[in-house]
Amino acid sequence: QVQLVESGGGVVQPGRSLRLSCAASGFTFSSFGMHWVRQAPGRGLEWVAVIWYDGSNKIHADSVKGRFTISRDNSKNTLYLQMNSLRAEDTAVYSCAREQWLGDRGHGFDIWGQGTMVTVSS
Amino acid sequence: DIQMTQSPSTLSASVGDRVTITCRASQSISSWLAWYQQKPGKAPKILIYKASSLESGVPSRFSGSGSGTEFTLTISSLQPDDFGTYYCQQYNSYWAFGQGTKVEIK
């Protein structure tokens, strides 16, 4: 079945790095734009980053620009988020999501993973 | 950046009630808006895209309307399974979510 499974979360000290992975299955991964979305404990959803289906373009939210980098390996059906210079305010559940493509543009996120928790604390 | 503001933040309603949630954008987003339902500990589920298009498999009691800067999500007859938090999301210029509306069943 269509599925996204995140991994790589954990507890990390401020200023350190972490790399998250999102393994896709059940669909043609290389045909879809992919996003990372995070949710701090008890808070709402925050969009983090997007990467085009072929990796040709990447956009990051201002809150993570210069610290986080989204990437993908279509041969491995895997999406990544490299997180550097982590801060306490980056503590959240990080989820990957597939952009729903209808006609000639994206329309929201139709497939989501369950998320992986990242805790930044000394 | 486009800011999305939802109201109310919380609402409590009875089974069978008609429920309306409002989402306002800080600038026009045409009809590039989606609605999601999220239950505790679960991933969000898309309900509506392009402001008023019902996602496949979503019950017809859910509907969306609006364009420009003001949008609504309506549940025509609230069911026990409809509890959760609802988010709007604009995808006109990058992507951004509203702060959420928690729906509780009385």
Side-chain angles (χ1 to χ4, degrees):
Chain A
Q1 74 277 27
V2 176
Q3 196 173 8
L4 297 170
V5 178
E6 302 90 341
S7 61
V11 180
V12 61
Q13 293 179 327
R16 303 297 290 266
S17 300
L18 207 59
R19 188 177 84 155
L20 306 182
S21 299
C22 166
S25 59
F27 66 98
T28 305
F29 179 69
S30 59
S31 296
F32 290 88
M34 295 295 297
H35 297 253
W36 286 100
V37 176
R38 68 183 180 182
Q39 188 167 31
R43 306 294 297 273
L45 303 169
E46 180 187 10
W47 174 77
V48 173
V50 61
I51 186 167
W52 263 229
Y53 70 99
D54 58 358
S56 60
N57 198 11
K58 309 172 187 181
I59 304 173
H60 300 80
D62 287 345
S63 58
V64 305
K65 199 173 294 183
R67 300 187 299 122
F68 290 12
T69 302
I70 189 172
S71 63
R72 66 191 297 161
D73 186 336
N74 284 345
S75 68
K76 295 182 178 179
N77 291 338
T78 303
L79 175 73
Y80 302 100
L81 185 67
Q82 177 66 44
M83 304 186 295
N84 299 331
S85 303
L86 282 160
R87 306 167 180 167
E89 54 264 35
D90 296 320
T91 295
V93 172
Y94 285 74
S95 299
C96 55
R98 187 181 83 170
E99 184 162 357
Q100 172 172 242
W101 200 263
L102 300 168
D104 61 352
R105 68 163 293 152
H107 288 280
F109 305 160
D110 63 340
I111 305 297
W112 295 67
Q114 285 301 310
T116 186
M117 183 70 202
V118 173
T119 302
V120 183
S121 173
S122 55
Chain B
D1 292 1
I2 298 176
Q3 309 299 321
M4 307 300 292
T5 304
Q6 290 181 231
S7 61
S9 296
T10 306
L11 74 85
S12 182
S14 300
V15 172
D17 283 354
R18 183 180 182 88
V19 168
T20 299
I21 298 169
T22 298
C23 176
R24 289 185 174 87
S26 59
Q27 63 190 74
S28 177
I29 58 169
S30 186
S31 295
W32 307 125
L33 183 102
W35 288 98
Y36 299 84
Q37 176 196 63
Q38 186 181 34
K39 297 192 175 183
K42 300 294 186 182
K45 173 187 174 182
I46 189 168
L47 303 173
I48 301 284
Y49 63 93
K50 204 178 177 184
S52 61
S53 296
L54 192 68
E55 185 75 8
S56 176
V58 174
S60 58
R61 63 180 180 273
F62 292 93
S63 64
S65 64
S67 66
T69 62
E70 188 151 338
F71 302 85
T72 59
L73 173 71
T74 300
I75 307 173
S76 61
S77 177
L78 192 69
Q79 299 301 302
D81 191 48
D82 297 339
F83 77 93
T85 302
Y86 291 79
Y87 295 91
C88 61
Q89 178 206 34
Q90 70 84 16
Y91 52 94
N92 177 71
S93 174
Y94 304 121
W95 296 264
F97 293 92
Q99 81 279 15
T101 295
K102 186 175 182 179
V103 174
E104 299 171 339
I105 309 294
K106 278 184 186 175

